[in-house]
Amino acid sequence: MGTPQGYQASWWVYLLHQAPRTNFQFEVVRNDFAPQDWSYQQALLFLASTAGLCLAISLVLICIYLIRFCCCDPEEDEPKAQRVCWVTWSCVAAVIVCCAGIGIGFYGNSEANDGANQATYALLNANHTLRAIDMLVWQTVGLLSAAVRGDLTRLEEMLAPRTELLAVVRNTRRQAEAVAHTLGGLPFWGDAGSNPSQLAEYLAFLEEYRWLAYILLLLLDLGICLFTLLGLAKQIKWLVIVMTAMSFLVLLLSWGSMGLETAAAVGLSDFCSDPDGYVINSTQAHTELNPEILQYYLICSQDVPNPFQQRLTLSQRALSNIHSQLYGLEREAVPQFPGAEKTLLSLRGTLNTTESNFHHLVALLNCRGLYKDYVDMLKGLCQDGLEGLLFLLLFSLLSALAFTTAVCSLPRAWARFQSRDSDYDDMEDDDPFSPQESKRFVQWQSSI
């Protein structure tokens, strides 16, 4: 159907929405958001598997490099200083790229969390509006029903001697019953079988664990980078070996998270490209909600009529008639039946409360409030949420590339680590800067 007027899909949505989709049989799948369709699920899994392909390529490259490093020694002709410099700077470059990716990841995680929180708040606010509508309706219906059973029944008994006044009271009774019956049919969300609070709780539950998982992954990456630098600076061989194993583990996690982020970003872009169509189709397929009501709240335009307008107009006229009839009864019946004054005052108080509830109900049933919540939910998911997912995808890519480089370079780095004694043994005997020569010089001075 399109997008709401208050929401504008970003160019990222259109770009991801155009990504090709194929199922496991390499058949083209439509890019309409259909999470319940198995073919659509296969298409998202196929996109996520591209990260698995990248993981396989990186593992093959790592294996080839390490086999070459272990079985061959093409570096014998290279100067030792050049070999050490190359290894050191490759490790440092990998750590710098990883740290940049970590910064991007923290920003993306925060953006995704902000978008999910905004969508959750909008859903809870919409649920509050729907509950307020139900509460006002049942409260108003209860007041009118109590007035019909109590005050109007007593008033009929008091004014029984005057047939013309009795006819007015009975007419008021019928109109009050008609208003109660009309207002009782206004609550509409009960036909949907669920409420926005359930969706908000589910979204908040997923977001809480997603945010925590990424925080732990980011801190793990940061810790590996810091300890890797420490091991290289202090030439602690066991620490570098442990960080190499941890780098390999995070390499697997990075490619895996990249696959999940790719599938989530593409699926979210499909929803954000046409949210109205998906909401209307899924609601009609799984609920008995009137499509006119749903269309009124999703579009909220002057071109779409208010489905409650006729009921509200009839109720407003009936309340005005009841008000006029009670005023006439006070003027004509109280001088002849003084005992009816208290009952009429009670009825007037009930009528004032009913009219106040009615005006509040008219404001809540207007599409602007729920439509604003709907647009806020879309902005949270499709702008901040999608932007955060893309930054997290970039973080995963940079992290995977950096740790691929680290896994290749760190074994060469710890192979260069040697003890001081072995370094001294490699020095020439006549080297004036060697520790042995220095010791002999000190002994010579002491003997003089």
Side-chain angles (χ1 to χ4, degrees):
M1 288 186 58
T3 58
Q5 295 179 358
Y7 159 75
Q8 183 65 36
S10 63
W11 65 277
W12 279 112
V13 171
Y14 294 107
L15 182 62
L16 293 173
H17 186 59
Q18 300 303 321
R21 293 161 179 78
T22 57
N23 56 19
F24 294 158
Q25 289 76 32
F26 297 98
E27 298 173 351
V28 178
V29 178
R30 295 185 59 183
N31 55 5
D32 296 334
F33 185 67
Q36 307 299 330
D37 186 16
W38 173 234
S39 296
Y40 185 79
Q41 296 175 4
Q42 290 181 11
L44 294 183
L45 290 175
F46 190 86
L47 289 173
S49 64
T50 56
L53 178 61
C54 295
L55 172 61
I57 294 175
S58 64
L59 292 179
V60 170
L61 293 177
I62 290 172
C63 291
I64 294 175
Y65 184 85
L66 294 180
I67 291 173
R68 179 176 177 270
F69 170 69
C70 295
C71 300
C72 305
D73 192 12
E75 301 174 347
E76 292 180 351
D77 297 335
E78 298 180 11
K80 181 179 179 181
Q82 182 178 353
R83 296 198 304 266
V84 174
C85 181
W86 188 93
V87 172
T88 302
W89 281 109
S90 63
C91 294
V92 172
V95 171
I96 292 175
V97 171
C98 182
C99 290
I102 290 172
I104 295 173
F106 273 110
Y107 176 77
N109 195 38
S110 177
E111 284 292 303
N113 184 254
D114 291 342
N117 289 337
Q118 181 178 348
T120 301
Y121 177 78
L123 289 171
L124 291 176
N125 195 26
N127 183 72
H128 175 74
T129 301
L130 295 174
R131 292 185 60 184
I133 291 173
D134 293 344
M135 184 183 66
L136 280 175
V137 167
W138 300 126
Q139 181 181 0
T140 305
V141 171
L143 286 174
L144 292 175
S145 300
V148 169
R149 293 191 304 267
D151 293 337
L152 287 175
T153 301
R154 288 192 296 271
L155 197 61
E156 285 184 3
E157 296 174 354
M158 293 178 185
L159 303 181
R162 295 284 304 273
T163 55
E164 66 278 8
L165 296 179
L166 181 62
V168 174
V169 174
R170 289 179 175 175
N171 186 30
T172 303
R173 182 191 186 103
R174 286 193 297 269
Q175 290 187 345
E177 291 175 345
V179 171
H181 178 74
T182 302
L183 294 180
L186 289 178
F188 60 91
W189 193 254
D191 297 334
S194 61
N195 54 68
S197 65
Q198 296 176 353
L199 183 58
E201 292 174 359
Y202 181 69
L203 180 60
F205 175 80
L206 291 181
E207 175 58 24
E208 179 180 2
Y209 285 95
R210 186 212 61 81
W211 179 85
L212 180 60
Y214 271 99
I215 287 294
L216 294 178
L217 180 60
L218 290 165
L219 293 179
L220 178 62
D221 286 11
L222 183 60
I224 292 175
C225 291
L226 295 179
F227 282 109
T228 299
L229 289 178
L230 178 63
L232 292 174
K234 298 295 185 179
Q235 294 192 356
I236 306 174
K237 187 173 183 179
W238 69 266
L239 182 58
V240 175
I241 293 175
V242 172
M243 291 303 104
T244 303
M246 295 297 295
S247 298
F248 184 78
L249 173 63
V250 176
L251 172 65
L252 301 178
L253 295 177
S254 297
W255 286 120
S257 64
M258 182 178 173
L260 293 177
E261 291 149 6
T262 302
V266 173
L268 186 58
S269 69
D270 292 340
F271 168 76
C272 296
S273 63
D274 185 16
D276 289 354
Y278 171 73
V279 172
I280 291 178
N281 292 334
S282 61
T283 303
Q284 292 179 351
H286 300 94
T287 68
E288 299 179 356
L289 186 63
N290 190 342
E292 295 181 358
I293 296 177
L294 187 62
Q295 189 176 18
Y296 169 68
Y297 285 109
L298 292 182
I299 298 178
C300 194
S301 172
Q302 295 180 352
D303 300 332
V304 180
N306 187 344
F308 308 107
Q309 188 62 46
Q310 184 177 2
R311 294 182 181 182
L312 294 176
T313 302
L314 293 177
S315 299
Q316 179 66 42
R317 292 175 181 174
L319 290 175
S320 299
N321 292 335
I322 293 173
H323 185 83
S324 301
Q325 290 168 0
L326 290 179
Y327 178 77
L329 288 175
E330 286 181 357
R331 185 179 57 189
E332 298 181 7
V334 170
Q336 302 179 24
F337 303 93
E341 182 178 5
K342 183 178 180 180
T343 303
L344 288 172
L345 290 176
S346 177
L347 284 173
R348 182 172 290 277
T350 301
L351 180 62
N352 291 335
T353 304
T354 301
E355 289 181 336
S356 176
N357 291 344
F358 179 79
H359 292 303
H360 192 192
L361 183 62
V362 171
L364 290 177
L365 286 174
N366 190 278
C367 66
R368 288 190 293 249
L370 289 175
Y371 179 77
K372 180 180 180 300
D373 296 331
Y374 175 60
V375 172
D376 289 343
M377 181 201 70
L378 291 179
K379 288 181 178 179
L381 291 177
C382 302
Q383 293 181 359
D384 292 342
L386 184 59
E387 180 183 351
L389 276 177
L390 293 176
F391 277 108
L392 288 175
L393 193 150
L394 179 59
F395 150 71
S396 298
L397 178 61
L398 292 178
S399 177
L401 295 177
F403 284 113
T404 300
T405 304
V407 170
C408 292
S409 301
L410 289 178
R412 300 182 61 187
W414 87 57
R416 304 300 177 188
F417 295 166
Q418 297 177 353
S419 64
R420 292 180 179 269
D421 294 337
S422 62
D423 287 340
Y424 298 155
D425 293 339
D426 293 339
M427 295 181 180
E428 298 179 359
D429 293 337
D430 57 350
D431 188 355
F433 298 100
S434 66
Q436 293 85 352
E437 188 66 24
S438 298
K439 289 179 182 179
R440 286 195 291 268
F441 179 75
V442 172
Q443 291 176 357
W444 178 75
Q445 273 193 332
S446 61
S447 63
I448 295 178

